[in-house]
Amino acid sequence: MTTAQSEALFHRAQQSIPGGVNSPVRAFRAVGGTPRFIARGEGSHIFDVDGNEYIDYVCSWGPLLLGHRPKPVIDAIASVLDLGTSFGAPTSREVELAELIIDAVPSIEMVRLVNSGTEACMSALRLARGVTGRELTVKFEGCYHGHVDSLLVKAGSGIATLSLPDTAGVPRCFSETTLALPFNDLDRVETAFHEHGDRIAAVIVEPVAGNMGCIPPQPGFLQGLRRISNHYGALLIFDEVMTGFRLSRGGAQALYGVAPDITTLGKIIGGGLPIAAYGGRADLMKRLAPAGPVYQAGTLSGNPVAVTAGIAMLRYLEQHPEVYETLDKISAEIVAGLPADVRVNRAGSMFTIFFQPGPLADYAAARRSDTARFGRFFHELLNRGVYFPPSQFEAAFVSTEHRPDDVVFTRKAIREALAAASA
Ligand code: KE4
């Protein structure tokens, strides 16, 4: 497999773009080697600039539930290109997408469209603070909600202490508005609320974590967050940027039967174009400008071309509810029967193969994985034409376009790569 073109492009890119990429995980730093520069995608496959073909399990980090270039989305985009690309004024299609989201996610009565998951999470937190008049946030270690200043934190040393910055550039006064707790640990949530309850505006959580690898909630965890938030008058925010419309049309909240106050969405709702959203109870959302005092804005929010892609995506899912059973079967087949020295965590069409025997229910446990062996595994797979996420702490995604021959090919490659990585 030659990677000469990717290597040359990566060298060139590093002269003009920090790290040569527009998002750090793409640089392969966690696994080493040269990131593949992708020329095109088709169905479940991507093709790099050297002509190498891969079965794609990154799927643009989640948006491509229907694979690359799904006909309904591509046709919809093509049909609007001669109408204009952006107006900075309301359009009927934004209303249509809002109504599709509200129809699919029962806890959402009103929704605001934005351009990224980061923006959705940042804005949801500001709304929660504005509505409650409180300043603190509870988040969970290993959960990622975009590069929101106050959420790029690591847990403080004490059992309920305020957090420390986890990146350069975030002032202590920002990180100290956040409590970072272990995922799946309700006792720690109770303690934090016992200490700070009247100052906590919101709890924000990935209802099924995907950003420390895939880690589902343990029984009762989400229900406990709902109970505790209610008791102390804090808002519960489900960050469903990854799980929304992936785990079901109603997201993880529909599967687990827990209704948050605010939900953030992204990825799939844009059909591969930059659309995200946050929504919730109407009484909360009406506190947003221009209806209310909490300001949030965006030049390209509800962009008509991106919204058109999102409408096509959500309409397809509305008309084909069977896709979720199909997706579940595909991902189950791919990871069935792996050896006991690796641990598979799976939730529907997202999964992670952890390089440890497990079980694992939080970030501290996930970090005990053998990341060096994961790196070798990743490259053994890549050299066999299977493109997994380039980090142990990410989730792999399947699409409706991952066909039976992709599954057979991938299962064989995984077994060979596991053996080679163990040598
Ligand atoms: P964006 O700002 O990247 O659109 O969304 C941030 C975000 C928020 N919430 C959740 C649950 C997310 O998974 C994300 C972004 N996910 C990562 C993948 N782990 C995006 C990949 C990247 O950063 O390049």
Side-chain angles (χ1 to χ4, degrees), residues 23 25 61 116-118 121 144-146 206 211 239 241-242 267 394:
S23 199
V25 71
W61 299 99
S116 71
T118 296
C121 293
Y144 175 68
H145 308 289
E206 291 181 59
N211 286 288
D239 177 354
V241 166
M242 185 183 286
K267 297 182 190 277
E394 293 288 354

Side-chain angles (χ1 to χ4, degrees), residues 173-242:
C173 62
F174 285 29
S175 65
E176 287 175 350
T177 65
T178 303
L179 289 147
L181 306 176
F183 190 67
N184 275 320
D185 188 334
L186 278 179
D187 290 343
R188 292 289 297 277
V189 178
E190 292 276 14
T191 302
F193 270 91
H194 179 71
E195 295 273 317
H196 305 283
D198 59 351
R199 296 176 57 210
I200 297 173
V203 177
I204 186 167
V205 66
E206 291 181 59
V208 173
N211 286 288
M212 49 179 139
C214 178
I215 299 188
Q218 288 181 332
F221 178 63
L222 298 178
Q223 291 78 1
L225 295 182
R226 180 69 280 175
R227 171 179 52 78
I228 296 167
S229 301
N230 285 343
H231 180 75
Y232 286 92
L235 297 184
L236 180 58
I237 301 172
F238 274 9
D239 177 354
E240 297 226 41
V241 166
M242 185 183 286

Side-chain angles (χ1 to χ4, degrees), residues 57-108:
Y57 289 94
V58 175
C59 295
S60 182
W61 299 99
L64 304 182
L65 196 75
L66 303 181
H68 291 271
R69 301 186 63 250
K71 186 166 175 24
V73 174
I74 298 300
D75 288 353
I77 295 170
S79 74
V80 298
L81 287 180
D82 59 1
L83 301 179
T85 56
S86 180
F87 310 112
T91 64
S92 62
R93 284 176 259 160
E94 294 162 70
V95 181
E96 188 178 349
L97 182 57
E99 290 169 347
L100 280 167
I101 291 169
I102 290 164
D103 179 61
V105 187
S107 69
I108 296 181

Side-chain angles (χ1 to χ4, degrees), residues 338-344 352-358 360 365-378 381 388 391-393 414 417-419 421-422:
L338 292 185
D341 63 341
V342 295
R343 176 78 181 192
V344 176
T352 298
I353 300 173
F354 287 99
F355 278 70
Q356 58 163 291
L360 63 153
R367 286 173 65 91
R368 289 195 286 270
S369 302
D370 182 345
T371 53
R373 189 173 161 223
F374 173 83
R376 296 193 299 273
F377 169 75
F378 171 83
L381 274 186
F388 259 40
S391 166
Q392 171 70 97
F393 306 112
I414 286 175
L418 282 173
S422 303

Side-chain angles (χ1 to χ4, degrees), residues 140-160:
F140 296 91
E141 294 167 304
C143 286
Y144 175 68
H145 308 289
H147 57 94
V148 182
D149 276 337
S150 63
L151 299 181
L152 292 178
V153 299
K154 57 188 173 214
S157 55
I159 194 162

